[in-house]
Amino acid sequence: MKVYHQVVLWAQILSIIVCIDAHGLFSATAPSTTCGYGTHLNNDTLACQCNNALCSTREFNASKVHIAGLFDELGFDWGREIFDFTISLLNDHNNGWHDDILNDGTEIIATVADAGCDPGIAVPAYWDLKTSWGQPLHGVIGCRCSGASIAVSRIAGLEDIPVVSMSSSSAQLSDIIDFSSFFRLVGPDNSRGQVGALVTLLQSFGWDRVSVINTDTQYTKDLATAFGNTWTGDIAHIHTVSIRPDGTVEDTSVDQALDGVPVDDPRVNSRIIVLIAHHQHAYPILQRAQQRNFQPDTVWVGADAWTGQFFGSDTEWMPDIPGYIGVVPYRNNDSHLHDFLNRLQNHQKATQTTTPSISPASGSAAEDTTFPSLPSYAAETMVDSIVALTMAISSLNPGERADGKKIITALSQTNFTGVSGPVSFTPEGDRANPRYSVLNLPTRGKEWENVGFITPGAIGEGVNALDICWASIGCDQQEAPSDEYPVPPEKLQTWVIAVITTISLLVVALAAKYWRSHEKKKRLKTNISEMQKKMEAMKTIDTELLDLDKQVEEAKRRQASLILQRANLQEMPSTWSSSGETLVEVTPDDDQYWSVHDKLKETMSNAWMSKVWRVQNTSLWTYYSFHKDRLTMIDIDHNERHVWHGTSSLDPSIIYNDQQDGFMMQFSNMGFWGRGIYFANNSSYSDSYSYKPSENTQSDRPRSNKGEREMFLAKLLVGNEIFMNRDESNSRAQECARLTVPPTDANSGLKYNTVTGETGGSQVWVVYENGRAYPDYLIRYYKGKRDPKRTPFETREEAMRRTKRYSNNPKTKDVLPEFKSIIAVPAPKGVVTWEYYDNGWKPYGNTAQDALETAYQSFVGTSNTGNHKVQVLGGKNYNEWTYEVDLMTFVQTNIEHSAHTKRDVRRNTSL
């Protein structure tokens, strides 16, 4: 399995360093590579190689150690200063700060590259450091964000180059198979890290019932899932808040989240709400709750994505005592921290490298000041990341320091007390026994206060309710508020009161009448005892009825969940076979073959197909269908097209065997329209970027013949597009080249889905996100004279006759079957056509067209909440069968057929 991962990842690495041109994806200008001493540049792989077997241990300069900082400089505006200062301290062996590290005359050579918090930026930056800077590269400090760390660490692990992150917390990075050289100075986002700290904090206050509200970003959804898997108490309510495409919180979704909290039923409600969101989303949610006067005594508990973050200058919406609490990675305050801070402050004063402070009154820059404290926990962990890596390298002999495996082994055994506290690592490379600081916002307009610390699993350690200010309750409370609201006693029903009154009167009457008779008193006691038993029995019945009510509610929630899961089931295209293979060959007796043939020869008349494969990847098709449904829900026409895409030097199997994205932005490079994924209308254009099959790279396709090439015919959801003419002027060309996302449509206020333009005699389309293209067919072809062995049929007519695809009717035995093209082409300008898929897209009859369009306009006019099913006639002469078309899923069902067959439906519109 690891060999397979290495083959895939090396193919991905090679895709980064090929030439940049107008096609953009999988092609880049070769970097100006400078190889280190004892190495040379391999012109075939564009990678540095040793001149001989000794260069890794002898010919490199053993007196120098190369360490690179790789983090986003925008998010870490202070990062370069902390990084450079720490390196300078370690290079000075007479200052009393870790003088024993590399004190054998070795010099640390360091540099910083911008990772952009983006895998698409971080991987090329790492590769440039690896091939053009450090020879050898002994280690990397970074990245800050988990996505960038995942991408870089996969590649670095292939060559055993250690990567030590100061803040990446994704639980995925704990996989020692995929990330064998990765270490971090924080805990993972699961029960051993932040999630465990949150659960321990809640349990430390005696709480076992909470509500959970999270946003629908991937990070927060994963964190909420991990919390649900770890939390052992009750969850009163859970809701996911939607984020608009422009990155803002959707107010109606927030209202739904708040309305769903069972505030009217204290038996199941909770005062505690765990809010899992980034700070730019958490604060609007809290503001919305305050505006609605939602449950003012709610205790909002936060993850580190918003806990401790700056709220901005407008805090008037907050209550006087917000009482928000949450956890962040531990902020140390011992002598090691203060020693480093004093050294940094003295350095800043001596070099006048100062940080400007802002005067609250004037808003202008005041006198320069030094850091009053380290700006973030990540500053502490960055320092200790550098110390841990250099300490591990220092423990090796100079001749062993170019051996990444030995550095990784030494790192795993590192143990010291650093600026951020005790530092050691688990076998997975995570920080061992991570601590988290507990922060509280006591007063509106004030800063967060550190009120204690939490270690996952250590309940009651390091935090005291007396140090926390609680919403609506105040400060200096001996105990934390209860998570549950008091349940008022149930009022006795009238009939119960009547029965009790009757019994009481009966008892009094019997006592007065028979008080002298001992036997009669015994009978009275017996009657009373029996009545009490009945009352107990009635109480037991009431309790069971209450339990049944709870079971019914749970069954309803489970039913809703199952309905949602069923709705997510995706129909596969009707053209697919049931072979179970990802790559299915299309033969000349299939209309799909000739549809692709005609599309290929539109602009390349001398091209002949030797093989055509249909790609049947259910994961990629589901992701593509998700994007199609997303366009439908926001009322944007799909504008679906069949377009060409060449992969240059990347084996197409990397794309069609992928289980997540297929065509990936992560490996795109700069082109005429910026960094994006490029597709072309003309096959002759993509021919320049076609893949040349070779014996070494083919695994699931037969060996190719000389001169054969391969490229994809892909389905593309163009959506709302904008034409940008880069030849208009130099300034326009520069504007196009800087694109990383499409421009904004002035009419809708939303970004265009796709940028289109012309180059090389062809129209091209550029998308800037994964998932909106599907690799429909892989074509192997050659150019020149037709070879009958590879291309046995020149025309469809010849193929149909020689494969005996004739009609069985004697009157029409020489008539060929009707040609049914599968090529997706938008309808003529100004025309809306409803079509169903049956070996190609076919239009409905006129009556059905009118009925479908009328129902569709009515449905979207109700914001997609009205009736979404309509019945129409279709089939032969448009009246053979009755179909029910679902306008929400775009699927038709034959309600008269015994099998209730289903087909895809589309609304084809003009550009």
Side-chain angles (χ1 to χ4, degrees):
M1 180 61 72
K2 186 166 185 178
V3 172
Y4 168 76
H5 284 303
Q6 291 178 339
V7 171
V8 172
L9 288 175
W10 274 117
Q12 293 173 343
I13 294 171
L14 292 177
S15 73
I16 298 171
I17 60 174
V18 295
C19 297
I20 295 179
D21 50 26
H23 205 268
L25 182 68
F26 306 117
S27 60
T29 303
S32 177
T33 304
T34 302
C35 293
Y37 181 74
T39 67
H40 68 277
L41 179 66
N42 185 320
N43 291 324
D44 293 329
T45 65
L46 296 181
C48 293
Q49 290 184 345
C50 292
N51 293 334
N52 54 58
L54 301 178
C55 74
S56 62
T57 58
R58 296 183 182 178
E59 293 193 18
F60 283 122
N61 190 340
S63 66
K64 297 183 185 298
V65 168
H66 293 85
I67 296 177
L70 189 59
F71 46 82
D72 54 309
E73 297 194 70
L74 181 61
F76 272 14
D77 53 354
W78 44 262
R80 183 183 288 271
E81 181 178 358
I82 300 291
F83 181 88
D84 290 343
F85 178 66
T86 304
I87 295 295
S88 69
L89 285 180
L90 291 171
N91 274 329
D92 182 352
H93 300 290
N94 298 305
N95 58 15
W97 196 79
H98 293 292
D99 290 343
D100 56 333
I101 293 180
L102 296 172
N103 63 350
D104 53 3
T106 301
E107 179 186 4
I108 303 173
I109 306 299
T111 190
V112 172
D114 189 0
C117 220
D118 181 351
I121 299 175
V123 171
Y126 165 78
W127 190 251
D128 188 57
L129 290 168
K130 171 67 177 64
T131 58
S132 303
W133 180 72
Q135 295 295 329
L137 179 60
H138 292 85
V140 174
I141 303 300
C143 303
R144 177 172 75 96
C145 302
S146 293
S149 289
I150 288 172
V152 169
S153 299
R154 284 185 185 276
I155 300 173
L158 294 175
E159 294 187 306
D160 298 313
I161 295 178
V163 177
V164 187
S165 172
M166 70 290 291
S167 59
S168 294
S169 57
S170 170
Q172 184 179 351
L173 287 163
S174 296
D175 189 332
I176 60 175
I177 301 299
D178 286 345
F179 308 102
S180 58
S181 68
F182 180 78
F183 296 82
R184 54 180 161 192
L185 270 290
V186 293
D189 286 334
N190 56 24
S191 60
R192 295 183 286 110
Q194 180 183 180
V195 171
L198 273 173
V199 170
T200 303
L201 176 66
L202 299 171
Q203 293 174 338
S204 294
F205 295 131
W207 298 334
D208 60 5
R209 181 192 296 169
V210 300
S211 293
V212 179
I213 296 177
N214 64 277
T215 53
D216 64 354
T217 68
Q218 191 60 52
Y219 170 77
T220 52
K221 288 191 293 185
D222 290 346
L223 202 61
T225 300
F227 179 87
N229 293 336
T230 306
W231 177 247
T232 58
D234 295 330
I235 295 182
H237 172 65
I238 187 168
H239 188 90
T240 299
V241 173
S242 300
I243 305 299
R244 298 188 184 99
D246 63 359
T248 59
V249 172
E250 190 172 83
D251 290 341
T252 56
S253 183
V254 177
D255 290 339
Q256 291 172 359
L258 299 176
D259 292 338
V261 177
V263 295
D264 296 328
D265 189 356
R267 295 173 300 173
V268 296
N269 191 25
S270 175
R271 181 180 280 110
I272 316 303
I273 297 182
V274 178
L275 177 58
I276 302 176
H278 291 88
H279 72 278
Q280 68 268 31
H281 302 143
Y283 301 154
I285 294 173
L286 295 170
Q287 184 173 4
R288 187 72 173 172
Q290 180 66 14
Q291 290 170 347
R292 295 185 44 172
N293 195 32
F294 170 81
Q295 200 166 272
D297 60 347
T298 296
V299 178
W300 293 91
V301 181
D304 71 357
W306 68 272
T307 299
Q309 299 290 329
F310 179 58
F311 279 81
S313 58
D314 180 17
T315 58
E316 292 300 319
W317 56 268
M318 283 188 186
D320 293 336
I321 303 178
Y324 308 145
I325 60 173
V327 298
V328 297
Y330 185 63
R331 297 305 306 268
N332 192 26
N333 196 33
D334 64 10
S335 59
H336 294 83
L337 171 72
H338 290 291
D339 176 55
F340 179 83
L341 182 59
N342 288 335
R343 293 172 184 270
L344 176 62
Q345 291 170 340
N346 292 334
H347 169 75
Q348 290 177 322
K349 293 174 182 178
T351 61
Q352 295 184 350
T353 305
T354 55
T355 302
S357 64
I358 303 299
S359 170
S362 65
S364 61
E367 294 184 1
D368 290 346
T369 61
T370 58
F371 282 137
S373 62
L374 291 184
S376 166
Y377 76 87
E380 303 170 16
T381 52
M382 175 187 283
V383 174
D384 286 345
S385 297
I386 299 171
V387 173
L389 178 58
T390 54
M391 185 176 290
I393 296 173
S394 179
S395 68
L396 303 175
N397 294 325
E400 299 175 320
R401 291 171 182 169
D403 189 335
K405 290 184 178 179
K406 292 185 178 180
I407 298 177
I408 292 169
T409 300
L411 256 175
S412 66
Q413 299 168 356
T414 300
N415 191 333
F416 66 97
T417 299
V419 174
S420 64
V423 176
S424 61
F425 299 101
T426 68
E428 297 81 13
D430 302 326
R431 184 168 189 159
N433 304 313
R435 279 185 174 184
Y436 290 81
S437 292
V438 180
L439 304 187
N440 175 229
L441 189 65
T443 308
R444 177 178 61 194
K446 300 295 184 181
E447 294 184 354
W448 292 80
E449 293 185 359
N450 192 331
V451 295
F453 66 88
I454 282 290
T455 302
I459 298 175
E461 173 191 89
V463 65
N464 192 329
L466 188 63
D467 300 323
I468 299 173
C469 293
W470 307 96
S472 299
I473 298 176
C475 310
D476 302 322
Q477 302 296 311
Q478 293 293 331
E479 295 182 350
S482 172
D483 56 329
E484 301 178 8
Y485 287 91
V487 179
E490 295 184 1
K491 295 182 179 179
L492 292 176
Q493 299 182 11
T494 304
W495 68 269
V496 177
I497 297 175
V499 169
I500 294 175
T501 303
T502 302
I503 293 173
S504 298
L505 293 174
L506 179 61
V507 170
V508 171
L510 290 174
K513 185 175 182 180
Y514 300 108
W515 64 275
R516 295 183 183 88
S517 172
H518 177 69
E519 292 296 328
K520 291 180 180 180
K521 286 182 180 180
K522 289 178 62 176
R523 286 199 301 268
L524 177 60
K525 290 180 180 180
T526 301
N527 291 337
I528 294 175
S529 175
E530 290 176 352
M531 187 61 68
Q532 288 175 337
K533 290 180 180 179
K534 292 180 180 179
M535 294 297 293
E536 288 296 326
M538 293 169 62
K539 183 178 180 181
T540 300
I541 292 172
D542 288 343
T543 301
E544 292 180 357
L545 287 173
L546 182 60
D547 290 339
L548 287 174
D549 287 342
K550 292 181 179 179
Q551 294 175 22
V552 169
E553 289 299 321
E554 178 61 29
K556 289 180 178 179
R557 285 194 292 268
R558 178 60 178 164
Q559 181 187 37
S561 174
L562 292 174
I563 291 174
L564 180 60
Q565 293 178 34
R566 188 179 187 278
N568 288 333
L569 293 176
Q570 178 62 48
E571 292 285 341
M572 296 299 112
S574 57
T575 56
W576 285 15
S577 68
S578 58
S579 67
E581 300 291 332
T582 299
L583 212 60
V584 179
E585 184 174 355
V586 180
T587 56
D589 61 351
D590 192 321
D591 279 348
Q592 296 176 64
Y593 179 96
W594 295 102
S595 296
V596 176
H597 167 273
D598 294 346
K599 181 69 175 172
L600 177 70
K601 295 179 77 70
E602 280 181 358
T603 57
M604 207 159 47
S605 59
N606 64 336
W608 300 96
M609 300 191 306
S610 55
K611 292 285 184 182
V612 180
W613 293 279
R614 183 175 58 249
V615 179
Q616 298 185 178
N617 187 318
T618 56
S619 297
L620 295 186
W621 180 256
T622 300
Y623 191 33
Y624 176 77
S625 300
F626 163 76
H627 280 276
K628 181 181 287 188
D629 294 341
R630 181 170 63 88
L631 291 176
T632 300
M633 295 302 292
I634 59 178
D635 198 25
I636 293 179
D637 292 326
H638 302 158
N639 200 359
E640 187 177 59
R641 292 177 176 272
H642 268 105
V643 289
W644 297 99
H645 180 86
T647 62
S648 295
S649 62
L650 183 74
D651 191 327
S653 64
I654 302 299
I655 295 175
Y656 65 68
N657 281 328
D658 187 50
Q659 295 300 307
Q660 182 172 337
D661 298 299
F663 297 108
M664 289 177 284
M665 271 294 297
Q666 288 86 335
F667 298 105
S668 65
N669 288 294
M670 300 302 294
F672 284 161
W673 285 270
R675 187 186 299 276
I677 309 175
Y678 285 65
F679 300 90
N681 182 66
N682 295 355
S683 58
S684 57
Y685 179 82
S686 293
D687 173 58
S688 302
Y689 308 98
S690 59
Y691 174 73
K692 182 180 179 181
S694 66
E695 183 177 356
N696 295 331
T697 58
Q698 296 176 67
S699 57
D700 52 358
R701 307 190 299 281
R703 180 179 300 178
S704 63
N705 293 306
K706 183 178 181 181
E708 290 185 330
R709 314 286 294 191
E710 292 178 349
M711 61 182 172
F712 282 113
L713 181 60
K715 277 189 173 183
L716 174 65
L717 296 172
V718 176
N720 190 16
E721 62 183 337
I722 177 174
F723 183 85
M724 298 186 71
N725 183 8
R726 65 177 306 276
D727 297 325
E728 179 181 305
S729 63
N730 288 336
S731 60
R732 186 65 162 175
Q734 293 174 4
E735 177 188 356
C736 292
R738 289 193 299 266
L739 289 173
T740 56
V741 294
T744 299
D745 185 347
N747 295 324
S748 66
L750 301 176
K751 288 183 174 62
Y752 288 95
N753 302 114
T754 306
V755 172
T756 184
E758 292 186 358
T759 182
S762 174
Q763 184 173 4
V764 297
W765 290 269
V766 188
V767 295
Y768 302 87
E769 61 178 329
N770 299 348
R772 282 205 287 116
Y774 177 78
D776 209 5
Y777 295 92
L778 177 64
I779 296 90
R780 179 178 290 174
Y781 66 96
Y782 60 94
K783 292 189 288 188
K785 184 178 179 181
R786 181 174 69 90
D787 180 0
K789 293 183 179 180
R790 292 184 283 176
T791 312
F793 306 113
E794 183 174 1
T795 65
R796 174 179 179 270
E797 179 179 4
E798 180 184 357
M800 296 298 105
R801 294 187 184 282
R802 292 179 59 182
T803 55
K804 299 181 181 181
R805 288 282 304 278
Y806 293 104
S807 169
N808 292 326
N809 189 331
K811 295 181 179 181
T812 60
K813 65 179 181 178
D814 293 327
V815 178
L816 293 176
E818 177 188 359
F819 179 51
K820 300 174 182 178
S821 176
I822 52 83
I823 300 299
V825 179
K829 186 174 181 62
V831 176
V832 174
T833 305
W834 286 88
E835 300 171 325
Y836 62 92
Y837 194 88
D838 181 7
N839 292 322
W841 290 104
K842 299 179 181 179
Y844 287 90
N846 293 335
T847 302
Q849 292 279 351
D850 294 339
L852 287 167
E853 183 62 19
T854 299
Y856 175 79
Q857 294 298 334
S858 174
F859 177 56
V860 299
T862 61
S863 299
N864 298 349
T865 59
N867 182 29
H868 55 89
K869 294 185 178 180
V870 58
Q871 292 186 4
V872 297
L873 294 176
K876 293 181 179 179
N877 301 319
Y878 303 114
N879 61 3
E880 180 182 12
W881 301 99
T882 299
Y883 300 105
E884 181 177 80
V885 179
D886 191 325
L887 299 176
M888 182 174 293
T889 62
F890 276 73
V891 173
Q892 78 166 20
T893 303
N894 189 333
I895 61 177
E896 294 183 342
H897 196 283
S898 60
H900 282 68
T901 55
K902 297 179 182 293
R903 299 189 186 277
D904 292 335
V905 173
R906 73 177 183 183
R907 181 176 180 264
N908 201 350
T909 63
S910 62
L911 292 176

